[in-house]
Structures are given as C-alpha cells and as structure tokens.
Amino acid sequence: MTQSVAIHIHRHGDAEVLSDTTVEVPPPAAGELQIRQSAIGLNFADIYQRRGSHGPHAATPFPITLGAQGAGVVEAIGAGVTGFARGQAVAYVHAGAYQVTRNLPAHRVVPLPDTVSQELAGATLLRGLTAEYLLRRLHVVRPGQTVLVHAAAGGMGVILSQWARALGATVIGTVGSPEKARVALSHGCHHAVDYRREDFAARTLALTGGAGVDVVYDAVGKDVFLPSLQCTRPRGIVISYGTASGDVEAFDLQLLHAKSLSVCRPTLRSFIADPQELRAAARAFFGALTEGQVRLEIGHRYALADVRRAHRELEGRATTGATVLIP
C-alpha cells in the first residue's frame, strides 16, 4: 500500500467543504497504472461538482474526490498493461484527480511527448480534447469558413480561437471587456466583439457582410443562445457545449426552420469513450501545441493544499488562463 494525500468533499457546498485526507492506494490491479501526479488541472466543472449542480455527478456517493484531469509519471504497472514504462510521463482525463498518487485504467491514460510538459498537459488536456472534437470531428472547420467563439478570452476560448485560425478559419470572438478583447485578439481572433458594449449578433452579421458564421461555439448558454441563431448562416450549426450563464431551456424549433440551422449539445465523454479515439485526439492536441498552432500558458498555480483558495478565486473569476494544482 502507498499512502497519498487526497482532497475529498463529504457534502456539497462552498469551498469550505473541501478537506484533505490521507488515503491508502493499493498496488495497481490488472489493467491499471499507478501514477504519481505532478500537475492536476482545475476547471469550472469542478466547481459545479462541488456545489452538486453538475448533472450525474450530483448523485455520486460521498466522499467524492473532485477533478478530472492530471499528469505525472508512471510508478507501477498492473498485470496485462503494455505500452507504458515506469518513470514515463503521462496524462489523463478521468474522475477523481485531486489526489497525489492514484491508480487509473491504463486505457484512459495517454503518453506525453517530450515537447509537452507535464504541467501544461495536466492543466489543459481536458480543454484540448474538447477543442479537438469540436473543431475536427463534430464540425470539421475548413479554410475559408468563419466561426464565432463565445467567451473567446477564457480557457476554452483561447484554444478554440487559435486552433480554428490555424485551420484556416476567420475567427470572431465575443468578450466582456476591453482587456479580454486584447487577450482574444492575441490568441487567434481576427475580431473581438465586446458584448457589454454592442449587440454581438448585429456586429457579427456586419463583419460577415450579412452572411453569418458557419459555426458558433457556445460555452455561455442561456444569455447568448437565441442571438447566436440570428448570426448563423443558412445551414450553419450552433454548438452549445457549456452553460456558464445557465441552461438553454425549451425553445421553438421553428426558429431553426428559415435557415435550416442545426443545434447540438455534445459532451466530451462521447468523443473519447473509445481508447483509440482518445489517443488520436490527444496526439492531435499535442501536435497542435508542438507545432505552435496553439500557444497556452499557465495563468495560476496553487499548491494542492491551497485548493480552497484556488476554488474561491476561480469561482470569483479572478483567474486567467489555465489553472493548475501542484501536489
């Protein structure tokens, strides 16, 4: 047995429900890897899970170990696992990340190339895999297309904007302040629209000569969904992959009729459930990082012991860029 520090919650609530404890980690079972983590990603989804407002996670029995991504080195290998070596740098997307040493199903773990640091992979893999399926599989972005990225200065927005631009698209991003407009313009956007100062739908139509965009990437939800339909071109698609402003509730399907629009509400789980697809998606993301198509920085680093402060600052919108917990 190996002893490890873990962060648990025993009830839903504010950041004070996060508590550190020591757990026993057994040797990896058949099909598992034991990983000593060096970086644990912090995402707003962790906040939702802590509050108990994140879909099926709300029904997970206590105690719950939060978090869904991390990186580190392989410490032990279970029976039947091939393709990994002790000391190898790896990353993963899998529930229960807030723990220093942990066992994981080997088929959910991806090798890290030398060109991508453990810290960067641990902080950004989940978002990178999300961007990969949004840009390369759910809707294949092609040269000459125009895309609208909501929350373009956020953690997902900067990945989507840079990668879409590298794929040959014209990128319009919505932001909430002049400072965030500068972030968006320096991370892939050709145009940044401050939705607090102007009607983003009208501005997007003006920027596209009235044609509208080919695809909308919407992590905001309720506040922007209907206006997004207005600035999408005929036969375009609105992809609602997040709900920062609240869920998109029932709407009249006839709003899609005039322009033959498509709307979808995907989830990453469906696009990486197959281990081969997971590996291929990770290779594509790491390749985009290595080739400089996507430039990412760690905006904030917190010791795992400071996880309460990290949650409070993320929840209060006081962080920028990727945020990582360091065990």
Side-chain angles (χ1 to χ4, degrees), residues 34-84:
Q34 186 169 105
I35 296 172
R36 172 56 162 88
Q37 300 200 83
S38 59
I40 299 166
L42 177 60
N43 296 291
F44 214 87
D46 304 350
I47 306 291
Y48 293 141
Q49 188 181 12
R50 191 202 72 217
R51 293 172 180 167
S53 57
H54 198 209
H57 292 298
T60 304
F62 295 110
I64 298 171
T65 307
L66 299 184
Q69 66 176 344
V73 297
V74 176
E75 292 223 315
I77 301 172
V81 176
T82 60
F84 293 96

Short mmCIF file of all heavy atoms in Angstrom, two decimals, residues 34-84:
data_model
loop_
_atom_site.label_atom_id
_atom_site.label_comp_id
_atom_site.label_asym_id
_atom_site.label_seq_id
_atom_site.Cartn_x
_atom_site.Cartn_y
_atom_site.Cartn_z
N GLN A 34 -0.35 2.94 -11.87
CA GLN A 34 -0.27 3.83 -10.72
C GLN A 34 0.57 5.04 -11.12
O GLN A 34 1.67 4.90 -11.64
CB GLN A 34 0.36 3.13 -9.52
CG GLN A 34 0.33 3.98 -8.25
CD GLN A 34 0.72 3.18 -7.02
OE1 GLN A 34 1.83 3.33 -6.51
NE2 GLN A 34 -0.19 2.34 -6.54
N ILE A 35 0.01 6.22 -10.87
CA ILE A 35 0.66 7.45 -11.31
C ILE A 35 0.91 8.35 -10.11
O ILE A 35 0.03 8.54 -9.25
CB ILE A 35 -0.22 8.19 -12.34
CG1 ILE A 35 -0.37 7.35 -13.60
CG2 ILE A 35 0.34 9.57 -12.68
CD1 ILE A 35 -1.36 7.91 -14.58
N ARG A 36 2.11 8.90 -10.04
CA ARG A 36 2.43 9.95 -9.07
C ARG A 36 2.27 11.28 -9.81
O ARG A 36 3.02 11.58 -10.73
CB ARG A 36 3.86 9.77 -8.54
CG ARG A 36 4.40 10.92 -7.67
CD ARG A 36 3.51 11.22 -6.49
NE ARG A 36 4.17 11.99 -5.45
CZ ARG A 36 4.24 13.33 -5.40
NH1 ARG A 36 3.72 14.06 -6.38
NH2 ARG A 36 4.83 13.94 -4.39
N GLN A 37 1.27 12.05 -9.42
CA GLN A 37 0.93 13.24 -10.19
C GLN A 37 1.87 14.40 -9.88
O GLN A 37 2.29 14.61 -8.75
CB GLN A 37 -0.52 13.65 -9.90
CG GLN A 37 -1.52 12.57 -10.28
CD GLN A 37 -2.91 13.13 -10.46
OE1 GLN A 37 -3.23 13.65 -11.52
NE2 GLN A 37 -3.73 13.01 -9.42
N SER A 38 2.14 15.18 -10.92
CA SER A 38 2.92 16.41 -10.77
C SER A 38 2.08 17.64 -11.05
O SER A 38 2.47 18.75 -10.72
CB SER A 38 4.12 16.38 -11.72
OG SER A 38 3.69 16.26 -13.06
N ALA A 39 0.91 17.45 -11.69
CA ALA A 39 0.04 18.57 -12.03
C ALA A 39 -1.40 18.07 -12.12
O ALA A 39 -1.66 17.04 -12.74
CB ALA A 39 0.46 19.20 -13.35
N ILE A 40 -2.31 18.80 -11.53
CA ILE A 40 -3.73 18.45 -11.54
C ILE A 40 -4.49 19.65 -12.08
O ILE A 40 -4.38 20.76 -11.55
CB ILE A 40 -4.23 18.09 -10.13
CG1 ILE A 40 -3.48 16.87 -9.58
CG2 ILE A 40 -5.74 17.83 -10.14
CD1 ILE A 40 -3.67 16.64 -8.10
N GLY A 41 -5.26 19.44 -13.13
CA GLY A 41 -6.00 20.54 -13.73
C GLY A 41 -7.18 20.97 -12.89
O GLY A 41 -7.85 20.16 -12.25
N LEU A 42 -7.44 22.28 -12.89
CA LEU A 42 -8.58 22.84 -12.19
C LEU A 42 -9.51 23.47 -13.22
O LEU A 42 -9.08 24.32 -14.01
CB LEU A 42 -8.11 23.91 -11.19
CG LEU A 42 -9.18 24.66 -10.40
CD1 LEU A 42 -10.02 23.71 -9.56
CD2 LEU A 42 -8.54 25.73 -9.51
N ASN A 43 -10.76 23.03 -13.26
CA ASN A 43 -11.73 23.51 -14.23
C ASN A 43 -13.00 23.95 -13.52
O ASN A 43 -13.28 23.52 -12.39
CB ASN A 43 -12.09 22.39 -15.23
CG ASN A 43 -10.90 21.98 -16.06
OD1 ASN A 43 -10.42 22.73 -16.89
ND2 ASN A 43 -10.42 20.76 -15.83
N PHE A 44 -13.80 24.79 -14.21
CA PHE A 44 -15.02 25.25 -13.58
C PHE A 44 -15.99 24.10 -13.34
O PHE A 44 -16.85 24.16 -12.46
CB PHE A 44 -15.69 26.34 -14.42
CG PHE A 44 -16.39 27.36 -13.56
CD1 PHE A 44 -15.71 28.46 -13.06
CD2 PHE A 44 -17.73 27.21 -13.22
CE1 PHE A 44 -16.34 29.38 -12.25
CE2 PHE A 44 -18.38 28.13 -12.40
CZ PHE A 44 -17.68 29.22 -11.91
N ALA A 45 -15.84 23.02 -14.12
CA ALA A 45 -16.67 21.84 -13.87
C ALA A 45 -16.46 21.30 -12.46
O ALA A 45 -17.39 20.72 -11.86
CB ALA A 45 -16.35 20.75 -14.89
N ASP A 46 -15.26 21.49 -11.89
CA ASP A 46 -15.00 21.06 -10.52
C ASP A 46 -15.87 21.85 -9.53
O ASP A 46 -16.32 21.31 -8.51
CB ASP A 46 -13.53 21.26 -10.15
CG ASP A 46 -12.58 20.54 -11.09
OD1 ASP A 46 -13.04 19.72 -11.92
OD2 ASP A 46 -11.36 20.80 -11.02
N ILE A 47 -16.09 23.13 -9.85
CA ILE A 47 -16.95 23.96 -9.01
C ILE A 47 -18.38 23.43 -9.03
O ILE A 47 -19.04 23.28 -8.00
CB ILE A 47 -16.93 25.43 -9.48
CG1 ILE A 47 -15.50 25.97 -9.56
CG2 ILE A 47 -17.83 26.29 -8.60
CD1 ILE A 47 -14.81 26.15 -8.26
N TYR A 48 -18.86 23.13 -10.25
CA TYR A 48 -20.22 22.59 -10.38
C TYR A 48 -20.36 21.29 -9.58
O TYR A 48 -21.36 21.07 -8.90
CB TYR A 48 -20.54 22.31 -11.84
CG TYR A 48 -20.65 23.51 -12.73
CD1 TYR A 48 -20.15 23.48 -14.03
CD2 TYR A 48 -21.25 24.70 -12.29
CE1 TYR A 48 -20.25 24.59 -14.86
CE2 TYR A 48 -21.34 25.80 -13.12
CZ TYR A 48 -20.85 25.75 -14.41
OH TYR A 48 -20.95 26.83 -15.23
N GLN A 49 -19.34 20.43 -9.68
CA GLN A 49 -19.41 19.15 -8.97
C GLN A 49 -19.40 19.37 -7.46
O GLN A 49 -20.13 18.71 -6.72
CB GLN A 49 -18.26 18.25 -9.39
CG GLN A 49 -18.38 16.83 -8.84
CD GLN A 49 -17.22 15.94 -9.23
OE1 GLN A 49 -16.20 16.42 -9.74
NE2 GLN A 49 -17.35 14.66 -8.99
N ARG A 50 -18.58 20.29 -7.00
CA ARG A 50 -18.52 20.60 -5.57
C ARG A 50 -19.87 21.12 -5.06
O ARG A 50 -20.32 20.78 -3.96
CB ARG A 50 -17.43 21.64 -5.32
CG ARG A 50 -17.07 21.87 -3.85
CD ARG A 50 -16.43 23.22 -3.66
NE ARG A 50 -17.40 24.29 -3.80
CZ ARG A 50 -17.15 25.47 -4.37
NH1 ARG A 50 -15.96 25.74 -4.89
NH2 ARG A 50 -18.11 26.40 -4.43
N ARG A 51 -20.52 21.95 -5.89
CA ARG A 51 -21.82 22.50 -5.50
C ARG A 51 -22.94 21.46 -5.58
O ARG A 51 -24.01 21.64 -5.01
CB ARG A 51 -22.20 23.66 -6.43
CG ARG A 51 -21.33 24.90 -6.34
CD ARG A 51 -21.76 25.83 -7.46
NE ARG A 51 -21.03 27.08 -7.52
CZ ARG A 51 -21.09 27.92 -8.56
NH1 ARG A 51 -21.83 27.61 -9.62
NH2 ARG A 51 -20.41 29.04 -8.56
N GLY A 52 -22.71 20.40 -6.37
CA GLY A 52 -23.76 19.42 -6.58
C GLY A 52 -24.70 19.78 -7.70
O GLY A 52 -25.84 19.30 -7.73
N SER A 53 -24.21 20.59 -8.63
CA SER A 53 -25.08 21.07 -9.72
C SER A 53 -24.56 20.67 -11.08
O SER A 53 -24.81 21.34 -12.07
CB SER A 53 -25.19 22.59 -9.65
OG SER A 53 -23.90 23.20 -9.72
N HIS A 54 -23.85 19.55 -11.16
CA HIS A 54 -23.22 19.17 -12.43
C HIS A 54 -23.73 17.81 -12.89
O HIS A 54 -23.00 16.82 -12.91
CB HIS A 54 -21.70 19.16 -12.29
CG HIS A 54 -21.00 19.21 -13.61
ND1 HIS A 54 -19.76 18.64 -13.80
CD2 HIS A 54 -21.34 19.74 -14.80
CE1 HIS A 54 -19.37 18.82 -15.05
NE2 HIS A 54 -20.31 19.49 -15.68
N GLY A 55 -24.99 17.78 -13.24
CA GLY A 55 -25.57 16.58 -13.85
C GLY A 55 -25.42 15.35 -12.97
O GLY A 55 -25.68 15.38 -11.77
N PRO A 56 -24.96 14.22 -13.56
CA PRO A 56 -24.91 12.95 -12.83
C PRO A 56 -23.95 12.96 -11.66
O PRO A 56 -24.08 12.17 -10.75
CB PRO A 56 -24.46 11.94 -13.89
CG PRO A 56 -23.79 12.75 -14.94
CD PRO A 56 -24.51 14.08 -14.95
N HIS A 57 -22.98 13.90 -11.66
CA HIS A 57 -22.05 13.94 -10.53
C HIS A 57 -22.77 14.24 -9.22
O HIS A 57 -22.29 13.92 -8.15
CB HIS A 57 -20.97 14.99 -10.78
CG HIS A 57 -20.03 14.64 -11.89
ND1 HIS A 57 -19.23 13.53 -11.85
CD2 HIS A 57 -19.80 15.24 -13.08
CE1 HIS A 57 -18.53 13.46 -12.97
NE2 HIS A 57 -18.86 14.49 -13.73
N ALA A 58 -23.93 14.93 -9.32
CA ALA A 58 -24.65 15.29 -8.11
C ALA A 58 -25.09 14.05 -7.33
O ALA A 58 -25.32 14.11 -6.13
CB ALA A 58 -25.86 16.14 -8.47
N ALA A 59 -25.22 12.91 -8.01
CA ALA A 59 -25.69 11.69 -7.36
C ALA A 59 -24.55 10.78 -6.92
O ALA A 59 -24.79 9.71 -6.39
CB ALA A 59 -26.62 10.93 -8.30
N THR A 60 -23.30 11.19 -7.12
CA THR A 60 -22.16 10.37 -6.74
C THR A 60 -22.11 10.22 -5.22
O THR A 60 -22.25 11.20 -4.49
CB THR A 60 -20.85 11.02 -7.22
OG1 THR A 60 -20.93 11.21 -8.63
CG2 THR A 60 -19.65 10.14 -6.90
N PRO A 61 -21.92 8.99 -4.70
CA PRO A 61 -21.88 8.82 -3.25
C PRO A 61 -20.65 9.48 -2.63
O PRO A 61 -19.58 9.53 -3.23
CB PRO A 61 -21.84 7.29 -3.08
CG PRO A 61 -21.29 6.77 -4.38
CD PRO A 61 -21.78 7.71 -5.43
N PHE A 62 -20.81 9.99 -1.42
CA PHE A 62 -19.70 10.60 -0.70
C PHE A 62 -18.84 9.54 -0.03
O PHE A 62 -19.34 8.45 0.28
CB PHE A 62 -20.25 11.57 0.36
CG PHE A 62 -20.97 12.76 -0.23
CD1 PHE A 62 -22.36 12.87 -0.09
CD2 PHE A 62 -20.29 13.75 -0.90
CE1 PHE A 62 -23.04 13.96 -0.61
CE2 PHE A 62 -20.96 14.84 -1.43
CZ PHE A 62 -22.34 14.94 -1.29
N PRO A 63 -17.56 9.84 0.24
CA PRO A 63 -16.87 11.07 -0.14
C PRO A 63 -16.55 11.10 -1.64
O PRO A 63 -16.37 10.05 -2.26
CB PRO A 63 -15.59 11.02 0.69
CG PRO A 63 -15.32 9.56 0.86
CD PRO A 63 -16.67 8.92 0.98
N ILE A 64 -16.47 12.30 -2.19
CA ILE A 64 -16.15 12.49 -3.60
C ILE A 64 -14.76 13.10 -3.71
O ILE A 64 -14.45 14.07 -3.00
CB ILE A 64 -17.18 13.40 -4.29
CG1 ILE A 64 -18.58 12.79 -4.24
CG2 ILE A 64 -16.76 13.68 -5.74
CD1 ILE A 64 -19.67 13.74 -4.71
N THR A 65 -13.93 12.54 -4.58
CA THR A 65 -12.66 13.15 -4.94
C THR A 65 -12.89 13.93 -6.22
O THR A 65 -13.21 13.34 -7.26
CB THR A 65 -11.57 12.09 -5.15
OG1 THR A 65 -11.49 11.24 -4.02
CG2 THR A 65 -10.21 12.75 -5.36
N LEU A 66 -12.76 15.24 -6.16
CA LEU A 66 -13.05 16.09 -7.31
C LEU A 66 -11.95 16.00 -8.36
O LEU A 66 -10.91 15.36 -8.16
CB LEU A 66 -13.22 17.55 -6.87
CG LEU A 66 -14.33 17.87 -5.88
CD1 LEU A 66 -14.39 19.38 -5.65
CD2 LEU A 66 -15.67 17.36 -6.37
N GLY A 67 -12.18 16.69 -9.48
CA GLY A 67 -11.17 16.80 -10.53
C GLY A 67 -11.30 15.74 -11.60
O GLY A 67 -11.85 14.65 -11.36
N ALA A 68 -10.83 16.08 -12.79
CA ALA A 68 -11.00 15.16 -13.92
C ALA A 68 -9.79 15.07 -14.84
O ALA A 68 -9.86 14.40 -15.86
CB ALA A 68 -12.22 15.59 -14.75
N GLN A 69 -8.67 15.72 -14.50
CA GLN A 69 -7.51 15.63 -15.39
C GLN A 69 -6.23 15.84 -14.59
O GLN A 69 -6.23 16.52 -13.57
CB GLN A 69 -7.59 16.65 -16.51
CG GLN A 69 -7.51 18.09 -16.05
CD GLN A 69 -7.51 19.08 -17.19
OE1 GLN A 69 -7.28 18.73 -18.34
NE2 GLN A 69 -7.77 20.34 -16.88
N GLY A 70 -5.17 15.25 -15.09
CA GLY A 70 -3.89 15.42 -14.44
C GLY A 70 -2.77 14.83 -15.27
O GLY A 70 -2.99 14.27 -16.35
N ALA A 71 -1.56 14.98 -14.76
CA ALA A 71 -0.38 14.43 -15.43
C ALA A 71 0.66 14.10 -14.38
O ALA A 71 0.65 14.63 -13.26
CB ALA A 71 0.19 15.42 -16.44
N GLY A 72 1.56 13.19 -14.74
CA GLY A 72 2.61 12.79 -13.82
C GLY A 72 3.44 11.68 -14.43
O GLY A 72 3.57 11.60 -15.66
N VAL A 73 4.00 10.84 -13.58
CA VAL A 73 4.84 9.75 -14.08
C VAL A 73 4.29 8.41 -13.58
O VAL A 73 3.69 8.32 -12.51
CB VAL A 73 6.31 9.92 -13.63
CG1 VAL A 73 6.91 11.18 -14.22
CG2 VAL A 73 6.43 9.94 -12.12
N VAL A 74 4.53 7.39 -14.37
CA VAL A 74 4.10 6.04 -14.02
C VAL A 74 5.00 5.49 -12.92
O VAL A 74 6.22 5.48 -13.06
CB VAL A 74 4.15 5.12 -15.26
CG1 VAL A 74 3.80 3.68 -14.87
CG2 VAL A 74 3.21 5.62 -16.35
N GLU A 75 4.39 5.06 -11.82
CA GLU A 75 5.15 4.49 -10.71
C GLU A 75 5.07 2.97 -10.67
O GLU A 75 6.00 2.32 -10.20
CB GLU A 75 4.65 5.07 -9.39
CG GLU A 75 4.95 6.55 -9.21
CD GLU A 75 5.45 6.87 -7.82
OE1 GLU A 75 4.84 6.36 -6.86
OE2 GLU A 75 6.44 7.61 -7.70
N ALA A 76 3.96 2.41 -11.12
CA ALA A 76 3.79 0.95 -11.11
C ALA A 76 2.81 0.57 -12.21
O ALA A 76 1.96 1.37 -12.60
CB ALA A 76 3.30 0.46 -9.74
N ILE A 77 2.96 -0.66 -12.69
CA ILE A 77 2.17 -1.13 -13.83
C ILE A 77 1.47 -2.42 -13.46
O ILE A 77 2.10 -3.37 -12.99
CB ILE A 77 3.08 -1.34 -15.06
CG1 ILE A 77 3.80 -0.03 -15.42
CG2 ILE A 77 2.28 -1.86 -16.25
CD1 ILE A 77 4.86 -0.18 -16.50
N GLY A 78 0.15 -2.45 -13.66
CA GLY A 78 -0.62 -3.63 -13.35
C GLY A 78 -0.45 -4.72 -14.41
O GLY A 78 0.03 -4.47 -15.52
N ALA A 79 -0.89 -5.92 -14.06
CA ALA A 79 -0.78 -7.07 -14.96
C ALA A 79 -1.54 -6.81 -16.26
O ALA A 79 -2.63 -6.23 -16.27
CB ALA A 79 -1.33 -8.31 -14.28
N GLY A 80 -0.93 -7.23 -17.35
CA GLY A 80 -1.58 -7.15 -18.64
C GLY A 80 -1.46 -5.82 -19.35
O GLY A 80 -1.95 -5.66 -20.47
N VAL A 81 -0.83 -4.82 -18.71
CA VAL A 81 -0.70 -3.49 -19.32
C VAL A 81 0.58 -3.45 -20.15
O VAL A 81 1.66 -3.79 -19.66
CB VAL A 81 -0.68 -2.38 -18.26
CG1 VAL A 81 -0.44 -1.03 -18.92
CG2 VAL A 81 -1.97 -2.38 -17.47
N THR A 82 0.46 -3.04 -21.38
CA THR A 82 1.62 -2.88 -22.26
C THR A 82 1.67 -1.46 -22.79
O THR A 82 0.68 -0.73 -22.75
CB THR A 82 1.55 -3.87 -23.45
OG1 THR A 82 0.34 -3.61 -24.20
CG2 THR A 82 1.54 -5.31 -22.96
N GLY A 83 2.83 -1.09 -23.30
CA GLY A 83 2.97 0.23 -23.92
C GLY A 83 3.36 1.34 -22.97
O GLY A 83 3.44 2.50 -23.38
N PHE A 84 3.58 1.02 -21.69
CA PHE A 84 4.00 2.02 -20.71
C PHE A 84 5.22 1.48 -19.96
O PHE A 84 5.42 0.27 -19.84
CB PHE A 84 2.88 2.32 -19.71
CG PHE A 84 1.70 3.02 -20.31
CD1 PHE A 84 0.58 2.28 -20.73
CD2 PHE A 84 1.67 4.39 -20.47
CE1 PHE A 84 -0.52 2.91 -21.29
CE2 PHE A 84 0.58 5.03 -21.02
CZ PHE A 84 -0.52 4.29 -21.44
#
